[in-house]
Amino acid sequence: MTIGLALPLQHRIDTLVQLAREAHEAGLRSAWFGQTFSYDSPSLAAIVGREVPGLHVGTSAVPVFGRHPLLLAGQAQTAQAATGGRYHLGLALGTKQLTEAGFGIPYERPIRLLREFLTALRQLVETGSADFHGELLTATTPLPATVPGAEPPVPVLVAAMGPQALRVAGALADGILPYLAGPRALAEHIVPAVTAAAEAAGRPAPRIVAFVPGVVTADPEAVRESATEALAFYERFPSYQRVIELSGGPRAADLAVIGDEVAVAAEVRRYREAGATEVVFTTTDLGGEADRRRTWKLLGELATG
């Protein structure tokens, strides 16, 4: 099992490169970047991955609404070529609130759109061409869509946690990127569903890249208070409400891994036992700079141990 980090996007690019280099030197295997309305995450991952050789970089995750497979395939293949094959593309359904408020388009038939988007995108990243005509989108290539050096084909993962999204991801993607899904939700609901869908489609066992908020600290109560405030945003959305409940916690902060080195290492093992193939820690800066460094040190030791 590999261990990585989600890097915060409030920094300048040079600072993010410096943080990624520090993470890699600590022994961490990957750095991931969210996609909001600021940075273009595939571009950012390409820059960081090229500046920090050996570090895998990923996007978690680009919403399918407001995008097109042809354009995203070009971005992803460019990042793959720039990083020498160390880029990982994550897709997401996004949310009705942000989609309609931000893009001014209706959030309709998300599962169907995800299926069609993945079908066309896989053709593009695997062959450099597409001839897809669906109900909701069309993707054809009157000109070649291959990017020189974009090898191997870009891994495509989905931030899927609900039953329908897990079925589509298992059938068409290389894995999933669950967030705020604790070991119980993973073991009892998420991993079995996506694995069964992959098996039914004749695909390899999917990657389970679990994103986990966590901090190594000597003051867990204070950090837990910060986590409660920082993670409350996700409690507004039904998809997160459901997975938080399945994980056994009424609040998002209940899924944060907070404590000393022994406690945090034990929780990482629980995620592994629940079926996670990779663990990516997020919001490691909640306790301040000293706790962040302490957290990264432990995670690097776990990744290389």
Side-chain angles (χ1 to χ4, degrees), residues 11 41 66 77 101 103 246 275:
H11 300 295
S41 278
Q77 290 186 91
F103 294 109
L246 290 175

Side-chain angles (χ1 to χ4, degrees), residues 149-258:
E151 299 171 351
V154 178
V156 179
L157 304 101
V158 180
M161 295 186 291
Q164 294 184 77
L166 288 169
R167 284 195 291 271
V168 173
L172 294 170
D174 297 301
I176 58 172
L177 305 163
Y179 179 50
L180 295 176
R184 191 171 89 182
L186 286 175
E188 297 179 6
H189 301 278
I190 293 174
V191 175
V194 72
T195 301
E199 289 177 352
R203 292 187 57 79
R207 291 168 55 189
I208 313 295
V209 186
F211 280 67
V212 182
V215 180
V216 177
T217 181
D219 192 357
E221 290 186 7
V223 176
R224 181 78 60 185
E225 185 176 339
S226 297
T228 299
E229 181 178 350
L231 300 176
F233 168 81
Y234 296 96
E235 297 167 5
R236 300 163 47 191
F237 306 111
S239 59
Y240 283 109
Q241 292 170 358
R242 175 182 176 274
V243 77
I244 291 166
E245 182 178 350
L246 290 175
S247 300
R251 300 295 305 272
D254 295 331
L255 280 303
V257 175
I258 299 169

Side-chain angles (χ1 to χ4, degrees), residues 105-157:
I105 57 178
Y107 188 83
E108 296 176 349
R109 303 181 70 187
I111 299 299
R112 182 69 194 187
L113 179 60
L114 177 64
R115 182 179 293 278
E116 293 190 5
F117 201 105
L118 278 168
T119 301
L121 184 66
R122 290 212 71 92
Q123 293 179 18
L124 289 161
V125 299
E126 291 177 358
T127 71
S129 64
D131 186 16
F132 179 79
H133 303 267
E135 293 181 46
L136 303 180
L137 63 83
T138 295
T140 64
T141 45
L143 297 172
T146 302
V147 173
E151 299 171 351
V154 178
V156 179
L157 304 101

